[in-house]
Amino acid sequence: FDLAWGFYDGLWSHYLDSDGKDAVDLATHRRDVCFVKDEYWIVSDRLCAPGEHHYSQLFHFEPDRDVQVLDEQRAGTVDLNRPNVVLIQADPVKAKAIVGQEHPLQGWFSGGQRAKEPAPVLSFDQTDSDGAVYDTVIFPLNVGQVDGLSVERFFVIDGDGELVTTWEICALCVSSGFGTDYYINDLRQEEIGPLNGRIKRAGHLETDARAAVVRLDSDGCVIAASAVGATFLGFNDRDLLD
């Protein structure tokens, strides 16, 4: 897998009306992006702001795409005779497709200077206190391919047997035609490479990695594994790095 992360704690431009704007110190935003080769992406967003706020995670599409909300955890394109993409949330999140909205301005595409046309934007919305958590799987589909993807969140405990929050660690089970992937990403750490020595247990997976992916085939046998910043990667009491 490939893994990248970024963090923003500067001012946010908040558009008050068409005549002006104001910049406020509103929220911090961390985003980790994992590309599980060559299948799909996992996007982890952690937003922190004191008090209750409304958060929207946005995905933009070209004007000719048909974007629909499919259920309480997934949405995506549903175009016939074309490749599609499905976006699946680890937790139920309210979603809506916006096209050509004027107030507030959303759902437009510009192909050139002074040109614009309506284009779908997929918005996953939460209202929460002190912050918001998004863990989103982005899965491309070939022409005619059926989704068939499931995403479940794991509870994680540390080396002392204490529960670790979803704010601190993303641990997912992603299943489809390729088999089942166990994914864990320790968001308490910023740097990707160095060891952190923090033991984590999620389902059958145990490791001190910054991040790891273990893939099982349809019979539940390990067929691939990869980790970064790890001294061990255990699955069903077997050290996969040995």
Side-chain angles (χ1 to χ4, degrees):
F1 61 88
D2 291 332
L3 181 66
W5 79 281
F7 185 80
Y8 184 76
D9 62 354
L11 297 178
W12 295 76
S13 293
H14 175 59
Y15 285 84
L16 301 177
D17 52 47
S18 59
D19 298 323
K21 64 181 180 179
D22 187 24
V24 295
D25 185 11
L26 176 62
T28 63
H29 178 204
R30 172 178 176 150
R31 169 168 283 186
D32 285 54
V33 179
C34 178
F35 174 44
V36 181
K37 301 176 181 180
D38 286 320
E39 301 287 349
Y40 61 91
W41 293 262
I42 299 172
V43 178
S44 295
D45 289 312
R46 301 295 185 269
L47 297 111
C48 182
E52 185 175 271
H53 294 280
H54 178 77
Y55 300 90
S56 295
Q57 183 197 50
L58 304 175
F59 294 91
H60 299 261
F61 297 85
E62 293 185 335
D64 61 343
R65 299 311 303 247
D66 183 3
V67 177
Q68 294 183 16
V69 177
L70 303 173
D71 59 36
E72 64 178 4
Q73 285 184 257
R74 72 187 64 208
T77 62
V78 292
D79 294 296
L80 294 175
N81 302 317
R82 295 183 67 176
N84 285 293
V85 63
V86 61
L87 298 95
I88 306 177
Q89 299 288 347
D91 307 303
V93 180
K94 182 180 179 181
K96 60 183 176 183
I98 304 170
V99 182
Q101 179 177 283
E102 294 286 353
H103 302 288
L105 195 65
Q106 192 61 266
W108 297 90
F109 170 82
S110 178
Q113 188 176 15
R114 299 182 182 275
K116 71 172 185 177
E117 58 181 309
V121 173
L122 185 59
S123 180
F124 290 102
D125 302 320
Q126 298 186 49
T127 299
D128 217 327
S129 296
D130 300 326
V133 170
Y134 290 91
D135 288 308
T136 312
V137 175
I138 304 174
F139 197 88
L141 302 171
N142 288 322
V143 177
Q145 182 180 353
V146 178
D147 176 354
L149 191 74
S150 68
V151 178
E152 298 179 36
R153 190 184 294 283
F154 279 118
F155 289 108
V156 181
I157 58 174
D158 62 19
D160 297 323
E162 299 294 326
L163 186 67
V164 185
T165 67
T166 57
W167 180 269
E168 298 172 300
I169 291 181
C170 173
L172 303 178
C173 178
V174 181
S175 300
S176 187
F178 54 75
T180 299
D181 286 350
Y182 280 61
Y183 170 74
I184 192 164
N185 185 9
D186 194 336
L187 303 172
R188 297 170 295 182
Q189 182 176 341
E190 296 180 353
E191 298 85 355
I192 291 176
L195 304 176
N196 64 33
R198 291 172 168 171
I199 297 173
K200 299 160 279 287
R201 299 184 181 93
H204 299 291
L205 178 66
E206 181 178 2
T207 186
D208 61 354
R210 162 63 157 84
V213 177
V214 176
R215 173 162 293 185
L216 313 179
D217 63 16
S218 57
D219 295 324
C221 298
V222 176
I223 56 175
S226 187
V228 62
T231 63
F232 75 96
L233 176 61
F235 193 85
N236 276 340
D237 298 322
R238 171 190 170 195
D239 187 357
L240 302 179
L241 300 185
D242 186 3

